[in-house]
Amino acid sequence: MTDLNEAIIIKALEQIVSPEMIKGLQIKDGHVLFSIEVDPQQAPSMEPLRKSAEDSVKALPGVTQVTAILTAERQQQAPSQSPPASASAPSPFQKTAVPGVKHIIAVASGKGGVGKSTVAVNLAVALSQQGFKTGLLDADIYGPSIPAMLGIQNQKPNVVDQKLIPLEAHGLKAMSIGVLIDEGTPVIWRGPMIQKALQQMLYGVDWGMLDILIIDMPPGTGDVQLTMAQKTPLAGAVIVSTPQDIALLDACKGLEMFRKVNVPILGMIENMSTFICPNCDHESHIFGHGGARKEAENRGCDFLGEIPLNTAIRIQSDEGTPVTLSDERSRQSFAEIACRIMDNIKQEKEAA
């Protein structure tokens, strides 16, 4: 039997769409993922074409499941006459609830390298340990790390009734682009394709009934982060930073971005707050200490807590086991933070 490859898939799609329209083709263990780039004005009527393309590839030998998404890159238009001063432009962003999900929390940072994904994973586990039905969405398309941290990188989701079924690990339901593409394969997609993929993983997944869905946001404050904040009904955002000034500067940019789009700030977390020696248990403030607490006070938001840096976090993250499950100090830190976050969500709902 001929091995499944890109040429075979493109040939199967030629009867339906032009090869130039096929973008971001990925193949992993019989699972095929691709997008179809269409004219923005025609996008609403292109669902039958998307379905036909999906069915065509699904019929190929060796294909176990197919995920096809539509993406439309809006073209630059010539300036037109300005509307009358009395006309008011409607907002282009409409927030859509995720079926079955009560609260969505964004875990964000202004820059990479501050341990945001580690915090997101262990915060999700801590919420699950407190009895909340919890899901975790890895929204970092360019650098998905959640599958490795949960130990599910070699698994793949099923598709039932055109919906992805999230993987389950450590009491969580999880979804990531990392389980849909080959491990180590870079995602070379444009912004519109990234946004469409995120929408697909958010709304095209059967999450079931969840109390909390944690979204591990990409680092930074770019177009993807802004669109997610504007289109997703977030209960609030949690900002992660390390203590040093340069990290706090970027973290505060992320905080202000959420405020500009009216997303409540649930608080700030200081990660790598202290280094705990594995031999003598001595604590050292190698990255400084207290910077996030001070910045939270200056910005008028809650300081959620400090997460220490210890060897167990690194070892267990690499092994695919959240440190909250075994290290008592870490478990207690994340449990306290989880309680504060849920209290703040309750206060935000009452204020609203």
Side-chain angles (χ1 to χ4, degrees):
M1 183 176 65
T2 304
D3 290 337
L4 188 65
N5 56 47
E6 184 173 327
I8 292 174
I9 294 171
I10 294 295
K11 185 174 180 61
L13 290 170
E14 283 179 343
Q15 306 300 319
I16 301 170
V17 297
S18 169
E20 289 76 17
M21 298 171 64
I22 304 301
K23 307 292 182 181
L25 177 60
Q26 303 283 347
I27 307 169
K28 179 182 180 181
D29 298 331
H31 184 192
V32 179
L33 170 71
F34 62 91
S35 63
I36 305 172
E37 193 169 77
V38 299
D39 188 311
Q41 296 180 347
Q42 298 178 352
S45 63
M46 299 296 280
E47 174 58 22
L49 180 141
R50 185 201 69 80
K51 181 65 168 59
S52 295
E54 223 175 46
D55 291 342
S56 177
V57 175
K58 192 178 296 184
L60 292 173
V63 174
T64 56
Q65 57 192 71
V66 183
T67 302
I69 60 176
L70 295 174
T71 182
E73 185 168 0
R74 194 169 300 279
Q75 302 296 322
Q76 291 285 352
Q77 298 179 348
S80 58
Q81 184 178 357
S82 299
S86 59
S88 59
S91 171
F93 299 103
Q94 182 176 358
K95 296 187 177 183
T96 305
V98 179
V101 178
K102 292 182 181 179
H103 305 296
I104 304 176
I105 300 173
V107 176
S109 65
K111 67 190 297 292
V114 299
K116 169 184 55 60
S117 295
T118 301
V119 169
V121 167
N122 285 282
L123 176 59
V125 172
L127 288 164
S128 176
Q129 289 174 331
Q130 293 177 15
F132 296 102
K133 295 179 180 178
T134 309
L136 178 61
L137 171 61
D138 186 355
D140 193 349
I141 300 295
Y142 291 121
S145 56
I146 296 301
M149 290 184 177
L150 292 178
I152 58 174
Q153 65 269 39
N154 295 321
Q155 302 179 35
K156 54 182 181 294
N158 293 319
V159 179
V160 177
D161 295 332
Q162 302 300 313
K163 289 270 192 176
L164 287 166
I165 305 301
L167 300 175
E168 298 191 20
H170 310 298
L172 307 176
K173 293 184 177 181
M175 180 54 60
S176 169
I177 196 71
V179 299
L180 300 176
I181 63 175
D182 289 328
E183 187 177 5
T185 300
V187 177
I188 309 174
W189 289 350
R190 296 176 179 176
M193 294 176 66
I194 295 293
Q195 293 180 28
K196 186 65 179 180
L198 287 174
Q199 293 297 307
Q200 184 77 11
M201 288 197 296
L202 189 59
Y203 297 100
V205 171
D206 184 1
W207 292 103
M209 302 302 294
L210 292 181
D211 297 307
I212 300 291
L213 176 61
I214 298 289
I215 300 183
D216 179 26
M217 297 285 284
T221 55
D223 183 61
V224 171
Q225 293 87 341
L226 182 61
T227 302
M228 284 285 287
Q230 289 175 316
K231 288 190 174 183
T232 307
L234 299 175
V238 173
I239 308 300
V240 180
S241 179
T242 48
Q244 64 265 48
D245 291 344
I246 191 65
L248 287 165
L249 285 172
D250 290 327
C252 289
K253 292 177 184 177
L255 184 152
E256 294 302 327
M257 181 206 74
F258 283 107
R259 279 185 169 165
K260 286 183 181 296
V261 292
N262 299 317
V263 173
I265 304 300
L266 300 175
M268 293 185 70
I269 295 174
E270 183 169 282
N271 195 30
M272 308 182 197
S273 181
T274 60
F275 170 70
I276 302 174
C277 177
N279 296 319
C280 64
D281 213 33
H282 175 72
E283 297 186 12
S284 301
H285 301 151
I286 59 176
F287 295 125
H289 184 255
R293 181 188 295 274
K294 181 179 178 181
E295 204 59 57
E297 294 173 355
N298 293 338
R299 302 279 170 169
C301 68
D302 192 17
F303 178 68
L304 297 171
E306 302 172 350
I307 304 298
L309 174 65
N310 63 41
T311 307
I313 292 178
R314 193 268 303 168
I315 294 174
Q316 295 193 216
S317 293
D318 289 345
E319 293 177 348
T321 304
V323 70
T324 313
L325 295 172
S326 60
D327 183 75
E328 179 58 27
R329 194 195 306 253
S330 297
R331 187 204 62 77
Q332 184 175 351
S333 296
F334 279 105
E336 292 173 356
I337 290 172
C339 287
R340 293 186 69 98
I341 288 174
M342 296 309 297
D343 287 343
N344 290 347
I345 288 178
K346 182 179 179 181
Q347 291 176 18
E348 289 290 340
K349 288 184 66 177
E350 291 174 350

